[in-house]
């Protein structure tokens, strides 16, 4: 496995209706780093992930994964290393059975049927939904759908895992299972979330976006406890980092 | 509004049926596709005045439905939706064909006879196609089409159309739901709102279709659907195919109901 550096240089993006979603975002993520992307609604998080995966092309600036500069010609190559879990799992599950859906990626990689079967079984087990293999994705609950979507990405064995709000719609125990699962994933992770406690637990580093601008980039603990900056970004310091008024504990 | 949700369920219902387990489901998709195709071909090739002689052909859909645990009502209901189309196709005959024929001592207009024949053939063929969907599923059908060397692009079209159809219906249902919660009116959609509602449905569907397509691309899809191996064909497959094939040809060549009738009444004309 090579050591991929994910690099964004001065990324700008406007939607066709003229709305400027990103205005010059730059960062560098090293291999094995786990980075949270936070910010209020409409800050541009999902847009950033779309640019990183090459689903959108930046208006200005560029993305590079390892030595490869991302463009329409290299997108196919880059996507073999990336796995992305969408914000809405309904967009991601399109086959009639969960198993088939998880097998979709490995089959596209031209693996033989035995290997495909192995990968599917492993991915389902990792996410803890072996019992859902034969069910129809559209009949699952929101959390189960999310788990299936994650399995479908893990089955491809990505080097860089990108997730858009993975813990939304999960019950506490599924959320816990997901966090533990992600902790065990040793490759690069880029996760957007409003679940700051999860970010605190999983990511060493966070990027804070506001109105398409990178407001802050630094170690999670330090950034999340910066009250003024958090409020400016439309967020708030998570409960676990606030001091306790009665015992005088400083977080 | 409820009717849209029902329509979605109709589409999905067939996926559900296809997920069952039965003798028919365990057959290889190709076996089922071939037997259904042969059935339809033999049926259509039958004499244009054939009506009673078509009776044996009823066995195929009824037996397959029973063995495949597909409720006959599910098939009949969907058949009803398509029946107007079949009737329209047949209806031209009584208008243009004004000759008469004699069957069993009665004089009937041959135009109406052809009409009846077309309606029966059409209904049987459509039922068998519906049963194929209900016991094989779209993915199974796609797999066997690929095995028959049907071009990739056409198989892909079929699959995506099927997939996007449910997407379209879902978006429609969501918007209608949102509308009816807030419009306060009890029934239907105000004439003024139709335009913008339909536009919304279309735009949203395109958006969603795009995102689904994006998700496929991110998982290595590049214009080629790679089906799995599916079930392995067993000894039951050739037997099933041969048995039905023989039965179809027999029913085609001999007028079985007539023979049977003669046998029972003991008379030979
Ligand atoms: N398809 C689109 N067309 C036009 N504008 C869009 C489109 N998608 C998003 N936007 C706009 O771009 C901005 C950034 O959107 P984005 O989806 O990246 O936000 P986000 O940070 O992911 O928000 P959330 O936390 O709500 O998911 C928003 O202001 C949004 O209105
Ligand atoms: Mg988002």
């Amino acid at each position: 496995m090579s050591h991929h550096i994910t690099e964004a240089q001065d990324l700008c993006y406007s939607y066709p209706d003229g709305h400027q979603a990103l205005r010059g975002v730059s960062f560098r993520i090293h291999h094995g780093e786990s980075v949270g992307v936070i910010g209020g609604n409409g800050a541009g998080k999902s847009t950033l992930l779309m640019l990183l995966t090459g689903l959108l092309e930046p208006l200005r600036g560029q993305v590079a994964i390892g030595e490869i500069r991302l463009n329409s010609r290299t997108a196919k190559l880059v996507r073999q290393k990336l796995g992305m879990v969408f914000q809405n799992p309904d967009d991601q599950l399109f086959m009639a059975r969960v198993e088939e859906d998880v097998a979709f990626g490995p089959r596209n990689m031209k693996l033989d049927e035995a290997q495909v079967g192995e990968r599917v079984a492993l991915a389902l087990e990792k996410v803890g939904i072996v019992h859902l293999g034969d069910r129809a994705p559209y009949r699952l609950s929101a959390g189960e759908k999310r788990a299936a979507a994650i399995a479908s990405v893990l089955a491809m064995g990505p080097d860089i895992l990108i997730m858009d709000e993975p813990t939304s719609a999960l019950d506490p125990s599924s959320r816990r299972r997901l966090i533990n699962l992600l902790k065990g994933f040793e490759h690069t992770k880029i996760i957007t979330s409003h679940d700051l406690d999860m970010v605190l637990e999983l990511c060493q580093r966070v990027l804070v976006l506001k109105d398409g601008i990178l407001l802050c980039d630094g170690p999670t603990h330090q950034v999340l406890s910066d009250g003024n900056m958090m409020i400016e970004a439309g967020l708030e310091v998570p409960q676990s980092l606030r001091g306790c008024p009665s015992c005088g504990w400083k977080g | 509004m409820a009717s849209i949700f029902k329509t979605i369920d109709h589409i999905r219902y067939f996926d559900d049926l296809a997920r069952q387990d039965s003798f028919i489901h365990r057959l290889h998709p190709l076996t089922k596709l071939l037997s259904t195709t042969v059935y339809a071909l033999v049926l259509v090739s039958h004499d244009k005045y054939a009506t009673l002689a078509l009776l044996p052909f009823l066995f195929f859909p009824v037996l397959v439905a029973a063995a495949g645990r597909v409720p006959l009502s599910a098939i009949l209901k969907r058949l009803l939706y398509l029946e107007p189309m079949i009737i329209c196709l047949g209806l031209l005959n009584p208008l243009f064909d004004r000759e008469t024929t004699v069957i069993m001592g009665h004089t009937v207009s041959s135009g109406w006879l052809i009409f009846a024949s077309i309606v029966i053939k059409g209904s049987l063929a459509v039922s068998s196609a519906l049963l194929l969907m209900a016991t094989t599923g779209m993915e199974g059908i796609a797999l066997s089409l690929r095995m028959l060397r049907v071009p990739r692009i056409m198989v892909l079209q079929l699959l995506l159309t099927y997939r996007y159809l449910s997407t379209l219906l879902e978006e429609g249902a969501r918007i209608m739901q949102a509308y009816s919660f807030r419009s306060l009116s009890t029934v239907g959609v105000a004439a003024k709102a139709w335009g913008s509602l339909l536009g919304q449905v279309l735009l949203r569907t395109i958006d969603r279709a795009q995102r689904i397509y994006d998700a496929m691309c991110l998982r290595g899809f590049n214009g080629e659907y790679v089906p799995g191996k599916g079930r392995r064909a067993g000894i039951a497959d050739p037997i099933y195919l041969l048995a039905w094939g023989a039965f179809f040809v027999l029913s085609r060549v001999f007028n079985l109901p007539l023979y049977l009738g003669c046998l029972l009444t003991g008379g030979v004309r």
Side-chain angles (χ1 to χ4, degrees):
Chain A
M1 189 205 331
S2 56
H3 284 246
H4 306 298
I5 291 178
T6 310
E7 187 168 19
Q9 272 171 20
D10 192 28
L11 283 182
C12 288
Y13 187 79
S14 296
Y15 278 99
D17 65 355
H19 184 94
Q20 259 200 309
L22 284 184
R23 332 173 185 213
V25 172
S26 308
F27 54 84
R28 221 172 128 87
I29 296 174
H30 291 277
H31 180 82
E33 243 187 319
S34 160
V35 177
V37 179
I38 60 175
N41 291 129
K45 303 181 296 292
S46 300
T47 311
L48 178 64
L49 298 192
M50 302 276 265
L51 286 166
L52 288 183
T53 48
L55 291 177
L56 296 177
E57 276 201 57
L59 217 59
R60 210 176 68 215
Q62 61 159 325
V63 175
I65 311 281
E67 287 90 65
I68 309 168
R69 284 173 64 170
L70 185 60
N71 57 38
S72 52
R73 262 180 299 114
T74 57
K76 226 168 95 181
L77 203 64
V78 167
R79 282 170 188 169
Q80 293 172 357
K81 307 189 170 115
L82 292 176
M84 165 140 169
V85 180
F86 283 56
Q87 187 161 3
N88 179 359
D90 277 327
D91 295 338
Q92 197 157 1
L93 304 167
F94 43 82
M95 303 291 272
R97 288 170 54 232
V98 171
E99 254 169 17
E100 294 284 317
D101 215 290
V102 177
F104 183 82
R107 276 189 187 137
N108 281 331
M109 295 161 83
K110 302 275 158 63
L111 299 178
D112 65 50
E113 242 357 73
Q115 282 172 303
V116 170
E118 242 168 63
R119 287 214 182 192
V120 171
L122 195 68
L124 290 179
E125 197 191 313
K126 267 192 195 161
V127 191
I129 52 164
V130 177
H131 58 291
L132 297 181
D134 207 37
R135 295 272 298 278
Y138 48 81
R139 295 235 188 272
L140 301 180
S141 81
E144 290 168 337
K145 277 183 195 168
R146 169 81 56 189
I150 294 173
S152 73
V153 167
L154 288 185
M156 299 191 64
D159 290 339
I160 301 174
L161 190 58
I162 298 181
M163 299 188 147
D164 204 346
E165 317 219 358
T167 52
S168 65
L170 291 189
D171 66 24
S173 80
S174 312
R175 173 178 173 273
R176 182 48 49 196
R177 180 162 345 96
L178 177 65
I179 292 178
N180 290 339
L181 173 73
L182 291 178
K183 270 186 186 161
F185 183 84
E186 67 271 32
H187 307 313
T188 312
K189 295 184 275 277
I190 304 174
I191 304 171
T192 79
S193 189
H194 297 298
D195 179 355
L196 297 183
D197 288 310
M198 179 203 54
V199 172
L200 198 57
E201 199 172 335
L202 276 181
C203 309
Q204 301 101 36
R205 175 179 165 198
V206 280
L207 309 176
V208 184
L209 285 178
K210 191 199 175 211
D211 294 338
I213 291 171
L214 189 60
L215 199 64
C216 189
D217 174 357
T220 311
H221 230 273
Q222 192 183 323
V223 173
L224 292 192
S225 34
D226 181 346
N228 292 337
M229 194 279 306
M230 291 294 274
I231 288 181
E232 196 191 336
L235 303 165
E236 65 181 11
V237 176
Q239 207 71 46
S240 54
L241 287 183
R242 282 187 217 164
C244 168
S246 58
C247 67
W249 177 66
K250 286 263 170 38
Chain B
M1 179 183 81
S3 71
I4 295 187
F5 280 113
K6 265 194 212 137
T7 319
I8 296 175
D9 243 44
H10 280 181
I11 290 197
R12 303 248 144 125
Y13 182 54
F14 268 58
D15 287 340
D16 290 344
L17 288 175
R19 239 189 324 276
Q20 296 183 107
D21 190 33
S22 77
F23 167 68
I24 301 288
H25 287 79
R26 278 193 293 274
L27 290 170
H28 193 275
L30 189 57
T31 309
K32 288 177 269 186
L33 180 70
L34 286 180
S35 58
T36 308
T37 315
V38 171
Y39 173 75
L41 286 180
V42 173
L43 191 62
V44 170
S45 79
H46 224 294
D47 186 56
K48 67 174 179 173
Y49 295 114
T51 46
L52 284 179
L54 294 175
L55 208 59
F57 285 90
L58 196 59
F59 275 116
F60 179 66
V62 169
L63 282 183
V64 169
R69 302 214 192 113
V70 179
L72 270 181
S73 63
I75 299 297
L76 290 180
K77 230 192 282 171
R78 284 156 188 81
L79 186 60
L80 271 184
Y81 288 125
L82 293 169
E83 207 59 46
M85 230 153 68
I86 301 173
I87 290 179
C88 283
L89 276 181
L91 211 53
L92 289 176
N93 287 291
L95 295 180
F96 291 116
D97 194 337
R98 301 220 168 261
E99 281 166 39
T100 54
T101 20
V102 180
I103 38 167
M104 296 180 189
H106 300 283
T107 310
V108 284
S109 138
S110 51
W112 281 109
L113 208 57
I114 297 177
F115 169 73
S117 176
I118 287 181
V119 170
I120 295 174
K121 284 176 187 164
S123 309
L124 287 176
V126 168
S127 315
S128 67
L130 288 172
L131 275 169
L132 177 66
M133 289 242 311
T135 55
T136 312
M138 217 28 144
E139 268 125 38
I141 295 176
L143 171 81
S144 42
L145 285 176
R146 278 301 293 145
M147 290 176 79
L148 292 174
R149 309 276 142 133
V150 173
R152 274 199 182 101
I153 188 82
M154 285 169 68
V155 176
L156 190 66
Q157 280 276 347
L158 184 74
L159 272 175
L160 288 185
T161 308
Y162 186 68
R163 164 70 223 195
Y164 287 157
L165 192 62
S166 46
T167 310
L168 178 75
L169 290 171
E170 265 168 22
E171 288 304 332
R174 287 216 182 103
I175 289 188
M176 286 306 285
Q177 193 177 33
Y179 175 82
S180 65
F181 276 151
R182 283 186 295 164
S183 72
L184 300 182
S185 85
T186 43
V187 275
V189 176
K192 269 194 307 204
W194 264 114
S196 79
L197 278 188
L198 276 181
Q200 279 289 319
V201 173
L202 199 66
L203 286 178
R204 285 225 227 167
T205 307
I206 293 173
D207 261 11
R208 258 197 83 187
Q210 177 70 44
R211 283 199 303 274
I212 292 171
Y213 180 72
D214 284 348
M216 291 169 77
C217 287
L218 279 186
R219 289 204 269 152
F221 176 78
N222 46 16
E224 182 188 337
Y225 172 64
V226 188
K229 277 278 166 344
R231 299 166 194 279
R232 190 144 334 138
I235 184 74
D237 288 278
I239 295 177
Y240 180 86
L241 206 54
L242 280 178
W244 277 122
F247 178 71
F248 297 154
V249 170
L250 273 181
S251 325
R252 171 73 184 83
V253 177
F254 303 106
N255 188 341
L256 290 182
L258 192 66
Y259 279 104
L260 213 58
C262 292
L263 214 66
L264 288 179
T265 52
V268 180
R269 282 197 295 180

